[in-house]
Amino acid sequence: MSTALETPPEGLEPEGPEKAVPDKAPAGRGTVVLRRFLRDRTALAGAVVLLLLFLLAFAGPFVTPWSYSHIDYTALRAAPSTDHWWGTNRIGQDVFAQTVRGLQKSLVIGLLVAVLATGLASLVGACAGYFGGWADRLLMFFVDLLLVFPSFLVIAIISPRLRSGGWFAFVGLLAVFGWMITARVVRSMTLSLKEREFVRAARFMGVGPFRIIWRHILPNIASFLIIDATIQVGGAVMSETALSYFGFGVQPPDVSLGTLIASGTSAAVTYPWMFFFAAGLLVLFVLAVNLVGDGLRDALDPTARGGTR
């Protein structure tokens, strides 16, 4: 009996399960969404612009020798120069330092308002849709009641009375009046999801309602909530800018893009650097947020444009 191992001829692969190459594991949902987003050049450009704006807002104060509150009495309304990169305003404050401080404050306010408003909308909408009955009627009555009030006018009336609370109180006001439409959409999505088999199975197994909402309802509407939060950031910054422009938002000596635009409007023609830097950053930020929102919508929705690319 021969003990030599038989080997196949050179160049031929042996057939059989022992040499079968396993299939490549399918990519997770997060990887697929990231690939779709990276294929969208406009969304990617918007994300890069947002990153650069955040870098400017939070790193800018460390690269300039001037503070946003410091006054240079030797340079009143001075044009951009090596001493003051973006010039100075009417009382000698450095425009670059003030603009990056205003951008920082507007971005923080926008992010906090978006997180609070989207979180509140998801909680109220999911509870209303899942529980139904009197809970649904009560919560939706409260939502409809808030929708009736003119939010801009209410915030303008209340915000001066909350100046002692600082800009945190202002964030709370913007969040309270910015979640109702999203809550109604979340409710309608929850009404559909609670009849799905996996939700019924969890309910029959004795899983608590809030655990079902947290583990099964909200994850299945996460794509909508992410897109909504992205859009809320831009909307909150625009609302903050408008209210600060009329003196109802961020109060001196602090600044925001709205207060800078308001103070520089009268000098937009004669001293353009006092107005156009803040206004340009605002337009750039809102445009970038919209591009990122569109890209997230296409990446998270397989039926959207670019979802099948």
Side-chain angles (χ1 to χ4, degrees):
M1 178 183 292
S2 174
T3 58
L5 295 176
E6 295 183 0
T7 58
E10 186 177 356
L12 294 178
E13 292 288 338
E15 298 180 355
E18 67 276 7
K19 299 297 285 185
V21 179
D23 293 336
K24 191 175 181 180
R29 174 173 172 78
T31 304
V32 173
V33 170
L34 180 60
R35 288 175 181 171
R36 290 173 182 161
F37 183 82
L38 293 177
R39 290 194 192 107
D40 193 334
R41 295 183 178 179
T42 56
L44 192 59
V48 171
V49 170
L50 279 182
L51 180 62
L52 292 176
L53 288 176
F54 273 92
L55 185 63
L56 174 65
F58 291 95
F62 299 100
V63 299
T64 176
W66 302 97
S67 168
Y68 76 93
S69 59
H70 185 80
I71 298 176
D72 184 2
Y73 293 101
T74 64
L76 304 181
R77 293 177 177 173
S81 64
T82 55
D83 291 332
H84 298 280
W85 303 334
W86 290 0
T88 61
N89 62 11
R90 58 186 179 83
I91 62 174
Q93 293 172 315
D94 187 77
V95 172
F96 176 82
Q98 286 226 312
T99 303
V100 295
R101 171 67 178 184
L103 179 63
Q104 181 184 120
K105 184 55 61 81
S106 294
L107 292 181
V108 171
I109 289 175
L111 287 174
L112 288 177
V113 170
V115 171
L116 292 175
T118 303
L120 184 60
S122 60
L123 177 63
V124 173
C127 289
Y130 183 82
F131 290 107
W134 65 268
D136 183 18
R137 291 192 293 270
L138 182 62
L139 290 173
M140 287 302 102
F141 173 77
F142 181 65
V143 169
D144 293 337
L145 186 63
L146 286 178
L147 285 172
V148 170
F149 288 110
S151 58
F152 190 92
L153 181 60
V154 173
I155 295 174
I157 294 174
I158 296 178
S159 58
R161 306 175 187 275
L162 299 177
R163 289 180 179 177
S164 59
W167 60 273
F168 288 104
F170 183 58
V171 167
L173 277 177
L174 288 177
V176 164
F177 289 96
W179 59 275
M180 292 83 71
I181 300 297
T182 304
R184 296 193 68 88
V185 177
V186 171
R187 171 186 175 270
S188 64
M189 298 174 73
T190 304
L191 288 173
S192 174
L193 284 171
K194 77 174 184 177
E195 301 301 328
R196 301 283 292 272
E197 289 78 4
F198 60 89
V199 176
R200 287 185 175 183
R203 190 162 53 241
F204 291 151
M205 291 172 63
V207 181
F210 288 103
R211 188 174 179 85
I212 291 176
I213 291 173
W214 179 256
R215 295 292 298 274
H216 299 290
I217 300 296
L218 293 181
N220 281 277
I221 59 176
S223 58
F224 166 75
L225 294 177
I226 292 172
I227 296 170
D228 179 76
T230 304
I231 298 173
Q232 285 272 13
V233 173
V237 170
M238 290 296 293
S239 298
E240 179 275 325
T241 301
L243 288 164
S244 297
Y245 180 88
F246 291 108
F248 301 117
V250 176
Q251 300 299 319
D254 209 347
V255 294
S256 71
L257 291 182
T259 60
L260 293 176
I261 292 173
S263 62
T265 300
S266 58
V269 177
T270 53
Y271 305 100
W273 58 87
M274 294 172 52
F275 173 81
F276 284 104
F277 283 116
L281 288 179
L282 175 64
V283 172
L284 194 62
F285 173 75
V286 174
L287 177 61
V289 166
N290 288 333
L291 292 177
V292 171
D294 290 341
L296 286 174
R297 179 200 62 205
D298 295 339
L300 290 165
D301 184 4
T303 64
R305 175 192 62 83
T308 57
R309 290 185 297 181

